[in-house]
Amino acid sequence: MTGSTRPPGNHRRLWRHRLRRDRALLLMTVPGLLLLILFQYLPLLGNVIAFQDYVPFLGFRNAEFVGLANFRALFADPAFWNAVANTLIITLLNLLLFFPVPIALALLLDSLFHERIKKFVQGVMFLPHFISWVVIVALFTQVLGGAGVINQFLLRHDMEPVHIIGNASVFKLLLVAEVIWKDAGWACIIFLAALSAIDSQLYESSAVDGAGYWRRMFHITLPGIRPVIIILILLRLGDALSIGFEQVLLQRDSVGPDAAEVLDTYVYYFGVQGGNWSIAAAAGLFKAVVGLILVLSANKVAHMLGEDGVYRRP
Amino acid sequence: MRYAANRPVWMEKPSPLLTVVKAATLATIVALVLFPFLVVVSTSLSTEYAIAQAGGVVVIPTEISFAAYEQVLFGGVVARALLVSIGVTGIGVVLSVSATVLAAYGLSRPDSFAHRPLLFTALFTLLFAPGIIPLYLTVKQLGLLDSYWSLILPTAMNAFNFVIVRTFFSRLPQELFDAARVDGASELRILLRIVLPISKAVVSVIALFYGVAYWNAFFNAMLFITDESKWPLQVILRLYGLQGQQLEVDPNQIPPPQQATQMAIVVLAIIPILIVFPFVQRHFTKGVVIGAVKG
């Protein structure tokens, strides 16, 4: 807007003029950007220890550089590959079991016309998103645990108790169930937005033409929210190596690392707890780089499919 | 019926069967969400006898007692941790909301100086996380280990919340500011006097997001704080609620049942969220979050 009306005069004067004009705005950005630089960008330098033989006592200025030795040690560690496998399995289970739930919930909410009921159900569904993982693990133990409500009920009615909490073979499904309880309601907010953006005239004219509920669902509703569905699937794939860290950390010890170790907990236990700082930093760097590549390629795929993707095409 | 009026005229009347199925589904969802809360509150309010009668977990309280709350609230580790959590959350929210609103306003005008590189600096952080070990080393180098600031500063600025506010600001009509600018009002004055009063919805939403994040955070405290007297409530809850450690009790009194005290700590960890949530909930769908997500 202002770019075209500005006189084409001296470039440097223009630069100085804009700097003086906008100095108040620039000052306002300082605290926020400083926080991001200190705690998001500065830590990137700390990744240098992935290429060193780091000992906390000596600090990284005095540490010896060892090239890629830490990565070689990491890739030779079966516990690392176990963590990678667990991470990918949980991501896949999440995509299959969690992902459809918010879409279904959004369709259900969208079909309600009683405002009061709709508001109430929505509020109840959003609430668990704001509950901490520590509390959620406590809630699940109270209901599903060995001495929980369900097992009490089963015992009282002379039925076999179910072994859910602390059972390695169902641990990953338990994680997904917890994520559904916590976040499925909240996740439907974005589908609700997409649904409300569909032109209601489309529905009206197709209904007048005799299209029934299911026909409208498959020809208007689902195509209407398709871009959002694709973006969210891609986002999740791009984030495939990140599993809710606090959630797993809190429950890992109940079933042991074979079933429960994911990449982030591997970094924490092997690095921070075990003192293998350099190798664990290598694992963290591996995760960050692969994650970035995944996000960028997921976005590329979105563009190829003709969608906007996470960020717009340049 | 009243709600029938909201149904568009072209839509066929729902069949009674469908209505029943829908109502049952909604009731099930609401019950699945609220039931665990009921169990926790009921157990926290029960006596030893009632808990033993019920078999360890109480769904409907029979004998009510506030002994568990008296024990955890008056003195001791839980009360201390509660204060730490309240302090960290309070100071954190003020700091986070100020930094976010200032940065969002400062970067809300696309023609301002260095707008693109600065915006990129903020948005790029959405694509990567610094990682546990580098973050730990940074906090250590800054001398923040075992300081309350380590629970605030690393998460004080969140690019996602920044995007929400910035999108809202950049959609405000420019005419609002032009007159003030012609009158020579400073940018800070425009932000405080004109922009903020019409942005209460978006500010309260991100204040809730930040507040919940500070209140619920547990891992950063585990990583950065070794001094037990500085632990926030979530860490204490994990210790006594999940890992089954026993709280110290007054030897002159009969202690309340352990299940009740554990659940009382859980209730304390939930209550602030239950209090604030309904006030902010109506803003979620008012285009605040949704507008930002779509924009």
Side-chain angles (χ1 to χ4, degrees), chain B residues 69-86 148 227-241 245-250 261 265 268:
Chain B
Y69 289 92
E70 273 165 35
Q71 192 205 356
V72 296
L73 278 178
F74 296 108
V77 277
V78 179
R80 213 200 133 74
L82 192 61
L83 286 180
V84 171
S85 282
I86 292 172
Y148 290 124
D227 178 354
E228 296 180 18
S229 69
K230 290 179 179 166
W231 275 344
L233 189 63
Q234 304 287 338
V235 177
I236 293 297
L237 171 60
R238 183 199 190 206
L239 212 59
Y240 296 96
Q245 271 206 38
Q246 298 270 0
L247 283 168
E248 267 181 51
V249 289
D250 184 347
T261 46
I265 309 176
L268 288 181

Side-chain angles (χ1 to χ4, degrees), chain A residues 2 22 41 113 130 132 152 156, chain B residues 6 54 111 113 121 216 234:
Chain A
T2 39
D22 294 334
Y41 287 96
F113 294 112
F130 298 91
S132 76
Q152 266 174 42
R156 199 165 300 155
Chain B
N6 293 328
D111 63 326
F113 182 80
T121 307
N216 285 346
Q234 304 287 338

Side-chain angles (χ1 to χ4, degrees), chain B residues 107-191:
Chain B
L107 290 172
S108 64
R109 238 166 289 148
D111 63 326
S112 70
F113 182 80
H115 175 264
R116 278 177 77 92
L118 293 179
L119 187 62
F120 181 80
T121 307
L123 296 186
F124 190 62
T125 61
L126 288 169
L127 288 183
F128 69 94
I132 298 160
I133 290 181
L135 182 62
Y136 176 83
L137 293 176
T138 307
V139 170
K140 190 179 161 193
Q141 289 286 315
L142 294 171
L144 296 176
L145 286 185
D146 259 335
S147 148
Y148 290 124
W149 291 109
S150 70
L151 303 179
I152 297 177
L153 296 178
T155 48
M157 181 74 182
N158 176 298
F160 179 73
N161 292 342
F162 162 80
V163 171
I164 293 178
V165 185
R166 184 183 164 272
T167 310
F168 185 88
F169 285 170
S170 60
R171 282 182 188 171
L172 293 173
Q174 282 302 307
E175 301 85 70
L176 272 176
F177 317 123
D178 287 347
R181 242 167 243 148
V182 170
D183 288 347
S186 72
E187 291 294 344
L188 190 64
R189 206 183 153 82
I190 295 175
L191 173 62

